[in-house]
Amino acid sequence: MNKDIIKVKNIDKTFVTEKGQSIHALQGVSLEIRNNDFVCLVGPSGCGKSTLLRIIAGLERASAGTVVFQGQPVTKPDKRLGMVFQEYSLLPWRTVADNVALGLEFAKKPIRERRKVSKRFLDLVGLADFATSYPYELSGGMRQRVAIARALANDPDVLLMDEPFGALDAHTRILLQRELLRIWEANRKTIVFVTHSVDEAIYLADRIMVMSKGPGKIRDIININMARPRNRANPLYGQLSARILDMLEEEVQGDLPLLEQKVSNIV
C-alpha cells in the first residue's frame, strides 16, 4: 500500500469580508492522500474545494486544523507542491520554452539546464514544435498544456490542479483529460484535482472525494477500481455518475441529514 504523502486534519476556514461578515467555508475537513494517488475533489459550487486546495498548497491559511506534507506542517508555499490554475497564468512576453523554465530561472539554475528541462517537458506534452512561440499564438488547450509542463518542470512531488480544464470546450477537455492521464502514467506524480464535472472525476481519479455544501465537509470518499482507459459507455460508469449527481442534488436541495464521513469502493 502506498504511503500517505499529505494528511489534512480537521481543517476549518472562515473568511471575513470587508463589511465584517463571516463566511464559514470549510468545517472539520480531514483526508489522507497517498503517494502516486490521483484524487479528485467534487462538490456543489461554493463548497470550498478551491479553498481547500489552496490551503494544501500553502497559499491560504486555515482558521483551524493542520495540513502535513511528508511529515511536516504546511505553513507556506513549497516548490514540492506544484499548482496549476484554471487561468493559464503564462507571461505573454516570454516564449513557451521560457515560460516552462520560469521556476528553474527563479531557482537560479544554469541556462543550459533550463533549456534541457524545458525541452523535455515540452516533448512530454507534445509542444516541442512551439517552443519559440508566444502564448497568444496558442489555443486554450495548448496554453494549458504549457502550464502543466511548467509545473512539472519544477519536479514537484504533488501536482495540485484547480479546475484546469474548466474553461475549455468539451472536445478539447476530453483530449486533455487523456493527455493528463498519459503524463501521470509517465511521471506517477501525486495529483489532487478540483473539478465541477462528475464525468471528469470518474474518468481521471483513483479516488473521488465528494464534498457537502458550504461549509464544506467530506461527505463520501469513493475508491474507483475500474481499469484505465475508462469507457464512458460502461454501465458501471453511468451508475456511479448518477449516484454522485444524486448526492450533489441532495446537497443543493438542503434536505440531507448530517452523516458520518464514509468510504465506498467501486469495482
Side-chain angles (χ1 to χ4, degrees):
M1 182 177 292
N2 288 341
K3 182 180 178 182
D4 291 333
I5 191 171
I6 295 173
K7 293 185 178 182
V8 176
K9 302 178 181 179
N10 297 316
I11 289 294
D12 269 61
K13 178 64 178 180
T14 299
F15 293 98
V16 179
T17 68
E18 292 183 0
K19 296 181 179 179
Q21 179 184 6
S22 293
I23 299 174
H24 198 180
L26 296 168
Q27 180 178 350
V29 175
S30 295
L31 56 90
E32 295 176 345
I33 297 165
R34 298 185 291 265
N35 195 31
N36 306 135
D37 223 353
F38 198 132
V39 171
C40 281
L41 297 173
V42 300
S45 294
C47 73
K49 300 184 296 296
S50 294
T51 298
L52 178 59
L53 198 72
R54 290 176 63 85
I55 291 172
I56 293 172
L59 298 172
E60 194 86 50
R61 283 292 188 96
S63 303
T66 59
V67 175
V68 176
F69 170 60
Q70 294 186 340
Q72 298 295 320
V74 175
T75 58
K76 60 182 179 180
D78 188 318
K79 67 179 182 180
R80 296 171 298 172
L81 298 167
M83 191 85 177
V84 179
F85 300 94
Q86 181 173 345
E87 303 82 12
Y88 316 114
S89 303
L90 302 179
L91 300 180
W93 60 88
R94 294 178 68 111
T95 65
V96 164
D98 286 343
N99 266 287
V100 172
L102 185 61
L104 301 171
E105 184 176 330
F106 288 153
K108 301 188 183 305
K109 299 293 183 182
I111 292 178
R112 188 171 181 177
E113 180 181 348
R114 298 201 306 258
R115 289 174 178 169
K116 182 179 178 181
V117 172
S118 179
K119 182 181 185 307
R120 174 189 166 198
F121 285 102
L122 284 175
D123 283 338
L124 184 67
V125 300
L127 290 175
D129 291 343
F130 296 87
T132 59
S133 299
Y134 288 87
Y136 74 88
E137 298 176 295
L138 306 182
S139 69
M142 293 166 75
R143 290 197 292 270
Q144 195 57 284
R145 279 193 278 168
V146 174
I148 293 169
R150 180 178 60 189
L152 289 170
N154 297 322
D155 196 25
D157 295 317
V158 178
L159 201 57
L160 305 171
M161 309 187 77
D162 190 6
E163 297 191 69
F165 307 149
L168 303 176
D169 65 85
H171 179 63
T172 302
R173 187 169 187 154
I174 289 172
L175 292 177
L176 282 190
Q177 289 167 4
R178 294 174 185 166
E179 186 75 7
L180 179 60
L181 284 178
R182 183 185 66 78
I183 293 168
W184 177 69
E185 290 286 354
N187 286 267
R188 300 304 293 184
K189 300 289 185 184
T190 302
I191 295 181
V192 185
F193 188 107
V194 166
T195 179
H196 274 101
S197 169
V198 171
D199 173 83
E200 184 166 70
I202 297 170
Y203 187 78
L204 293 174
D206 294 318
R207 294 190 295 154
I208 299 175
M209 301 193 177
V210 183
M211 296 184 67
S212 70
K213 67 178 181 179
K217 300 175 284 291
I218 301 296
R219 171 177 173 174
D220 200 350
I221 299 174
I222 301 172
N223 297 316
I224 303 177
N225 299 314
M226 297 167 61
R228 293 185 177 94
R230 292 177 183 155
N231 183 356
R232 287 177 163 93
N234 183 336
L236 186 59
Y237 196 110
Q239 292 166 16
L240 179 55
S241 178
R243 176 182 161 189
I244 296 174
L245 288 170
D246 284 346
M247 285 190 220
L248 299 180
E249 180 64 21
E250 289 173 342
E251 291 292 342
V252 171
Q253 291 176 351
D255 57 3
L256 181 72
L258 187 62
L259 299 175
E260 294 293 327
Q261 178 179 317
K262 61 181 180 178
V263 177
S264 306
N265 289 291
I266 303 300
V267 179

